[in-house]
Amino acid sequence: MNFTIRAATKVDCKDISRMIMELALFEKMTDQVKISSEELERDGFCPNPLFECLVAEVPKENKSKEGFTTVGYGLYFYTYSTWKGRSMYLEDLYVMPEFRGFGIGKGLLSTVAKVAKEKHCARLQLSVLDWNAPSRDFYATRGAQDLTVKEGWHLIRFDGQSLDDLGNDAQKK
Amino acid sequence: MNFTIRAATKVDCKDISRMIMELALFEKMTDQVKISSEELERDGFCPNPLFECLVAEVPKENKSKEGFTTVGYGLYFYTYSTWKGRSMYLEDLYVMPEFRGFGIGKGLLSTVAKVAKEKHCARLQLSVLDWNAPSRDFYATRGAQDLTVKEGWHLIRFDGQSLDDLGNDAQKK
């Protein structure tokens, strides 16, 4: 199947928003999704965007059952390593189930890596769930290191009440 | 012991660079450190900085054995969650060993959290090594969730040859 990978524009936000929800459904965490298409437009398509995004498109004759031609996305942003400098983090990589097996995921990932190289990023990092064996294999096959297995890194999060409490602690001083 | 927490300026980069190496030594990964004080100056103190940094200072009479008064730092940057929007990532939090136990680490962390709240970040995330029990306890005590334990997230990295190979794949198309 032919497909095209291109930088997302504002008008893609509805499709991206739809696929964010599809990915969260697969990850069994839809209750955590609070983002809207309008927020994506505001945050990603402004002078200093908070993220960048690629989308994958198929020709109209190959549209999905529901009529979609935008069938995958890769959303990333720039981070910083105090060991290596400018780096990149791939927040989401997603291809709709009926469009898997055609190289679209690989195309999105390699295009993200190309951007990372062009922007002089020393690293491209991402997170994957331990039960998501197909994704873990997908990245491992392409030479990625699992830093949680290899070096023992754990991901830690403050949010909601724990973040409020921490911030209030500072204000009391 | 009295201490002050303030935003880092360009002249702090030598101290930050020194402490980055001290932290890497503790983490047993000094071979991975490639960043220089000059690169920190360039990347963090420009119109669109790649990171922000807080430093902790003690009075001259409490200076370290080697004569340092800048004894801790917290380096962070802004990220993006496709579920929650603008977020923050704390890349490094460090206090020199002889200055631990005075609340400096807690002061740095809560000040980072305060900035996160002010900038409307829904989350503050970071990574910690599994054998670093004091740090894991430090965050857990303050209400952080260990997402690797709780949800099974693994951190994945492409760099060096694997990143080059990926990027070259895209260019061949």
Side-chain angles (χ1 to χ4, degrees):
Chain A
M1 191 184 299
N2 282 328
F3 62 89
T4 313
I5 290 170
R6 60 168 175 79
T9 67
K10 245 186 189 178
V11 295
D12 293 309
C13 286
K14 275 197 178 159
D15 276 308
I16 298 166
S17 180
R18 165 182 58 81
M19 291 187 288
I20 286 171
M21 190 52 92
E22 289 176 22
L23 176 55
L25 190 67
F26 170 73
E27 294 178 325
K28 302 164 189 164
M29 298 188 191
T30 49
D31 57 312
Q32 295 203 27
V33 183
K34 304 290 173 202
I35 207 91
S36 68
S37 169
E38 291 72 24
E39 285 166 313
L40 292 173
E41 285 184 28
R42 181 196 65 196
D43 295 343
F45 302 90
C46 52
N48 291 307
L50 300 178
F51 65 84
E52 296 180 8
C53 191
L54 298 172
V55 289
E57 273 182 325
V58 293
K60 275 185 186 165
E61 58 268 29
N62 297 119
K63 69 182 180 204
S64 76
K65 282 176 238 156
E66 306 86 354
F68 299 119
T69 54
T70 302
V71 302
Y73 75 106
L75 189 146
Y76 58 91
F77 48 76
Y78 299 94
T79 61
Y80 199 76
S81 159
T82 49
W83 296 350
K84 306 283 183 180
R86 189 181 177 93
S87 300
M88 185 180 276
Y89 189 86
L90 178 58
E91 174 75 8
D92 285 349
L93 181 69
Y94 177 74
V95 177
M96 291 172 69
E98 58 186 295
F99 294 93
R100 291 179 195 165
F102 301 108
I104 298 177
K106 195 184 166 192
L108 283 166
L109 179 64
S110 58
T111 308
V112 169
K114 186 182 159 206
V115 176
K117 294 295 296 178
E118 286 167 356
K119 296 288 176 73
H120 307 289
C121 295
R123 294 171 168 175
L124 171 61
Q125 295 193 173
L126 57 103
S127 301
V128 65
L129 286 160
D130 57 5
W131 53 260
N132 189 356
S135 286
R136 291 180 66 182
D137 290 347
F138 175 82
Y139 296 116
T141 302
R142 286 160 184 85
Q145 302 173 68
D146 184 324
L147 297 184
T148 297
V149 169
K150 189 183 166 199
E151 299 179 349
W153 291 102
H154 283 224
L155 187 61
I156 305 290
R157 177 185 296 161
F158 290 96
D159 62 0
Q161 194 61 47
S162 66
L163 184 56
D164 285 346
D165 290 348
L166 261 190
N168 289 336
D169 247 22
Q171 281 159 333
K172 273 178 213 152
K173 286 196 172 177
Chain B
M1 190 183 299
N2 282 328
F3 62 88
T4 313
I5 290 170
R6 59 167 176 79
T9 66
K10 245 185 188 179
V11 295
D12 295 308
C13 286
K14 276 197 178 159
D15 276 307
I16 299 166
S17 180
R18 166 182 59 81
M19 292 188 285
I20 285 171
M21 189 52 91
E22 290 176 22
L23 176 55
L25 191 67
F26 170 74
E27 293 178 327
K28 301 165 190 164
M29 297 187 192
T30 48
D31 57 311
Q32 296 202 29
V33 182
K34 305 288 173 204
I35 207 91
S36 68
S37 169
E38 291 72 24
E39 285 166 313
L40 292 173
E41 286 184 28
R42 180 195 67 196
D43 296 342
F45 302 90
C46 52
N48 291 308
L50 300 179
F51 64 84
E52 296 180 8
C53 191
L54 299 171
V55 290
E57 272 183 326
V58 293
K60 276 187 186 164
E61 58 268 29
N62 296 120
K63 68 182 181 205
S64 76
K65 282 176 242 159
E66 306 86 353
F68 300 118
T69 54
T70 302
V71 302
Y73 74 105
L75 188 147
Y76 58 91
F77 48 76
Y78 299 94
T79 61
Y80 200 76
S81 159
T82 49
W83 295 350
K84 306 283 183 178
R86 188 181 177 91
S87 299
M88 185 179 275
Y89 189 87
L90 179 59
E91 175 75 7
D92 285 351
L93 181 69
Y94 177 74
V95 177
M96 290 172 70
E98 58 186 297
F99 295 93
R100 291 179 196 164
F102 301 108
I104 300 178
K106 196 184 165 192
L108 283 166
L109 179 64
S110 58
T111 309
V112 169
K114 187 182 159 205
V115 176
K117 295 295 295 177
E118 286 167 356
K119 296 288 176 74
H120 307 290
C121 296
R123 294 171 168 174
L124 171 62
Q125 296 193 173
L126 57 103
S127 300
V128 66
L129 286 160
D130 56 6
W131 54 260
N132 189 356
S135 285
R136 290 178 68 181
D137 289 347
F138 175 82
Y139 296 116
T141 301
R142 286 160 182 85
Q145 302 172 69
D146 184 325
L147 296 184
T148 297
V149 170
K150 189 183 165 199
E151 298 179 351
W153 290 104
H154 283 224
L155 187 61
I156 305 290
R157 177 185 296 163
F158 290 96
D159 61 1
Q161 195 61 47
S162 66
L163 184 57
D164 284 348
D165 289 348
L166 261 189
N168 288 336
D169 247 22
Q171 280 159 333
K172 273 179 212 152
K173 286 196 172 179

